[in-house]
């Protein structure tokens, strides 16, 4: 119903009849859920008054049923990756395409043919009989290389682990459902071994959740329910201190941005002049911002 309601734009979340915060959906173990309902129209949400102005999400967790104990164990291991990533471009391809873009705009080429030739073959015009050939060879191979800096910063795949154990059953006196869930989400960064650093700089999350739903049948017409749920979560992010205004999310976004702007990166789809180069031939910030955007969204 828009953003002008008194309680913001988020729906009301109710778990087993109890109002929960906005993190309830994120932190609840999917193996605990019996049913999920979404109430949208005014008549359905009238019971919740103004609190349900943005809709209501009803989550009912599982209950035990009379019968033999039923034990369920599940384990799931997956690897995730970004759906779209920049393509690696060889150094000489990048320089040739940059030169062509500048020439198309009536400007002088930025990289000389001699420099491009050295990137294609680091030993170009190097005399094997020279006294310092070995030193020059190492230096050339170090300087004139094609390095995928993006892949140096960012992993190709990231592990994700889910494990769950639950038991349910019941007798004439009590029905029970007990669930323990664990999830580990690894980070996307290539980092130095924690044993070498003395700390772990990787982004990751570990969460352990517990739920116990008990129904006590005190008489034929009276049942008392005791539902207990909790979770503990460990999230690790690089400490930025006073940098980035103390915002770790900003630091991670900037890391991905910079990783995609270190040449050689995917060139295109337009030439430089559309975004501007100053009189000294230096790329403007607006052009670099646009280039990073294109690397992410077009490639």
């Amino acid at each position: 119903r828009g953003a002008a309601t008194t309680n913001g734009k988020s729906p009301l979340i109710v778990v087993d009849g109890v109002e929960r915060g906005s993190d309830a959906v994120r932190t609840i173990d999917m193996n605990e859920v019996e049913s999920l309902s979404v109430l949208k129209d005014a008549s359905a949400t009238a019971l919740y008054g103004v609190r349900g102005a943005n809709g209501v999400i009803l989550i009912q967790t599982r209950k035990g049923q009379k019968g033999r104990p039923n034990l369920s164990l599940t384990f799931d291991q997956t690897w995730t990756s970004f759906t779209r990533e920049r393509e690696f471009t060889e150094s000489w391809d990048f320089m040739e395409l940059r030169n062509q873009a500048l020439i198309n705009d009536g400007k002088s080429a930025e990289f000389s043919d001699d420099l491009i030739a050295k990137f294609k073959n680091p030993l170009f015009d190097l005399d094997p009989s020279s006294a310092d050939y070995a030193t020059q060879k190492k230096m050339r191979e170090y300087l004139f290389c094609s390095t995928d800096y993006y892949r140096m910063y960012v992993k190709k795949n990231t592990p994700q682990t889910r494990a769950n154990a639950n038991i349910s059953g019941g007798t004439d006196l009590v029905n029970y459902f007990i669930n323990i869930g664990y999830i580990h989400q690894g980070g996307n960064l290539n980092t130095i071994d924690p044993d070498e650093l003395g700390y772990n700089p990787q982004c990751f999350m570990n969460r352990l959740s517990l739920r116990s739903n008990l129904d006590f049948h005190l008489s034929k017409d009276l049942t008392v329910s005791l539902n207990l749920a909790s979770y503990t979560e460990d999230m690790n992010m690089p400490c930025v201190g006073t940098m980035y205004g103390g915002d770790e999310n900003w630091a991670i976004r900037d890391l991905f941005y910079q990783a995609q702007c270190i040449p050689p990166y995917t060139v295109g789809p337009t030439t430089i002049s559309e975004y501007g180069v100053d009189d000294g031939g230096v790329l403007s910030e607006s052009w670099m911002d646009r280039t990073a955007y294109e690397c992410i969204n077009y490639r």
Side-chain angles (χ1 to χ4, degrees):
R1 293 184 177 84
T5 55
T6 58
N7 292 315
K9 296 181 289 184
S10 300
L12 178 66
I13 300 174
V14 180
V15 180
D16 291 337
V18 179
E19 295 182 18
R20 294 284 302 275
S22 59
D23 67 335
V25 175
R26 182 182 68 85
T27 58
I28 194 169
D29 192 317
M30 61 182 180
N31 294 280
E32 302 173 5
V33 178
E34 178 71 27
S35 65
L36 185 147
S37 303
V38 178
L39 308 181
K40 298 185 292 182
D41 58 89
S43 60
T45 61
L47 176 64
Y48 301 95
V50 70
R51 295 169 300 169
N54 298 302
V56 182
I57 297 177
L58 301 179
I59 300 175
Q60 188 68 37
T61 59
R62 295 170 60 183
K63 298 283 189 178
Q65 303 294 329
K66 184 178 179 179
R68 297 169 53 186
N70 181 24
L71 176 64
S72 175
L73 301 173
T74 59
F75 179 83
D76 179 60
Q77 180 65 51
T78 58
W79 281 265
T80 62
S81 61
F82 292 113
T83 56
R84 194 178 335 183
E85 291 186 306
R86 50 152 281 182
E87 298 176 5
F88 175 62
T89 303
E90 298 289 354
S91 297
W92 53 87
D93 286 334
F94 171 80
M95 290 188 288
E96 288 176 344
L97 290 169
R98 276 290 306 277
N99 281 350
Q100 186 62 54
L102 287 167
I103 292 171
N104 290 346
D105 294 336
K107 300 178 183 297
S108 301
E110 181 178 354
F111 304 101
S112 67
D113 292 339
D114 181 69
L115 181 62
I116 295 175
K118 287 181 179 178
F119 272 93
K120 288 182 177 180
N121 177 19
L123 305 184
F124 173 73
D125 75 3
L126 183 62
D127 184 5
S129 62
S130 60
D132 60 344
Y133 175 78
T135 301
Q136 290 292 324
K137 180 176 181 294
K138 289 183 179 180
M139 183 180 68
R140 291 259 191 122
E141 290 174 342
Y142 178 79
L143 291 176
F144 305 112
C145 60
S146 270
T147 304
D148 189 351
Y149 292 102
Y150 175 79
R151 191 55 66 202
M152 289 176 63
Y153 283 97
V154 183
K155 289 182 178 180
K156 183 72 174 178
N157 300 293
T158 302
Q160 178 172 281
T161 303
R162 290 180 181 269
N164 178 266
N166 63 71
I167 185 171
S168 62
T171 65
D172 292 334
L173 298 178
V174 60
N175 291 347
Y176 55 87
F177 171 76
I178 300 173
N179 182 82
I180 299 176
Y182 169 77
I183 180 173
H184 166 76
Q185 292 181 331
N188 299 93
L189 304 179
N190 282 316
T191 59
I192 299 175
D193 192 305
D195 293 335
E196 181 178 345
L197 287 177
Y199 65 94
N200 191 348
Q202 184 61 269
C203 301
F204 65 82
M205 185 207 68
N206 293 315
R207 183 192 302 140
L208 181 66
S209 58
L210 172 66
R211 176 170 292 276
S212 174
N213 291 346
L214 305 175
D215 296 323
F216 299 95
H217 308 299
L218 302 183
S219 69
K220 182 180 179 181
D221 302 315
L222 179 60
T223 298
V224 176
S225 298
L226 176 63
N227 296 344
L228 301 175
S230 183
Y231 74 93
T232 178
E233 186 174 84
D234 177 26
M235 296 188 67
N236 195 70
M237 292 281 284
C239 179
V240 297
T242 57
M243 296 176 62
Y244 298 100
D247 186 350
E248 289 87 357
N249 292 325
W250 183 6
I252 295 298
R253 290 196 303 270
D254 190 58
L255 188 150
F256 277 89
Y257 167 80
Q258 298 297 341
Q260 296 185 80
C261 288
I262 302 175
Y265 46 71
T266 307
V267 179
T270 55
T271 57
I272 296 175
S273 63
E274 182 177 345
Y275 307 108
V277 178
D278 66 19
D279 293 337
V282 179
L283 296 176
S284 66
E285 291 184 3
S286 62
W287 183 88
M288 295 189 68
D289 290 343
R290 179 65 180 176
T291 300
Y293 175 83
E294 290 167 352
C295 289
I296 298 170
N297 293 281
Y298 288 93
R299 300 297 180 181

